[in-house]
């Protein structure tokens, strides 16, 4: 699953916490020894690392690091691999047009960038 933006990341985090509770996975991604994977639907949501840790099949994307920091420091911080939590950096090139000239549309009398 792909979770984008503040709302997407926060809802995705809440959903993965719920999935973990439903499947009996601990916040560190470990399955307790008294539980066993009983069906194939488990692998739909989680990847097994081979070391007994289950990692969500998810990617989180946002432009602000604050929302990702909530996941990185939250109860389920050990559940996700750092590569799953991406923050895009905004640079001046994304905000400003390549040239600073403002074109005038005389027919509509509006400034256009």
């Amino acid at each position: 699953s792909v979770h984008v933006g503040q709302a997407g990341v926060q809802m995705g985090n809440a959903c993965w916490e719920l999935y973990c509770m439903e499947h009996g996975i601990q916040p560190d991604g470990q399955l307790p020894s008294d539980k066993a994977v009983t069906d194939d639907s488990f692998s739909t949501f989680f990847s097994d690392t081979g070391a007994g840790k289950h990692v969500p099949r998810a990617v989180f994307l946002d432009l602000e690091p604050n929302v990702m920091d909530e996941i990185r420091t939250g109860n389920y911080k050990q559940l996700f691999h750092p590569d799953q939590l991406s923050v895009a950096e905004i640079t001046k090139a994304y905000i400003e047009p390549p040239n600073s000239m403002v074109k005038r549309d005389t027919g509509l009398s509006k400034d256009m960038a």
Side-chain angles (χ1 to χ4, degrees):
S1 59
V2 178
H3 308 283
V4 181
Q6 179 179 355
V9 169
Q10 289 173 334
M11 289 188 64
N13 188 35
C15 286
W16 284 105
E17 286 183 21
L18 181 61
Y19 293 157
C20 286
M21 287 191 287
E22 288 176 350
H23 291 283
I25 295 178
Q26 298 171 346
D28 63 355
Q30 299 292 327
L31 192 62
S33 58
D34 62 338
K35 298 220 180 223
V37 177
T38 56
D39 59 11
D40 291 335
S41 67
F42 187 82
S43 63
T44 302
F45 296 106
F46 296 94
S47 294
D48 187 1
T49 64
K53 182 174 179 178
H54 300 323
V55 179
R57 294 180 182 267
V59 175
F60 294 82
L61 305 167
D62 199 2
L63 297 176
E64 292 288 331
N66 299 339
V67 179
M68 292 297 184
D69 289 342
E70 290 177 17
I71 297 174
R72 289 186 182 114
T73 61
N75 293 337
Y76 286 80
K77 62 185 170 196
Q78 294 177 333
L79 182 66
F80 301 101
H81 189 277
D83 291 345
Q84 292 175 289
L85 308 173
S86 294
V87 177
E89 294 182 22
I90 299 176
T91 64
K92 190 175 181 181
Y94 288 116
I95 297 171
E96 294 182 3
N99 61 16
S100 310
M101 298 178 63
V102 175
K103 298 176 186 170
R104 182 90 172 157
D105 181 0
T106 54
L108 300 174
S109 298
K110 293 183 180 178
D111 288 332
M112 297 174 54

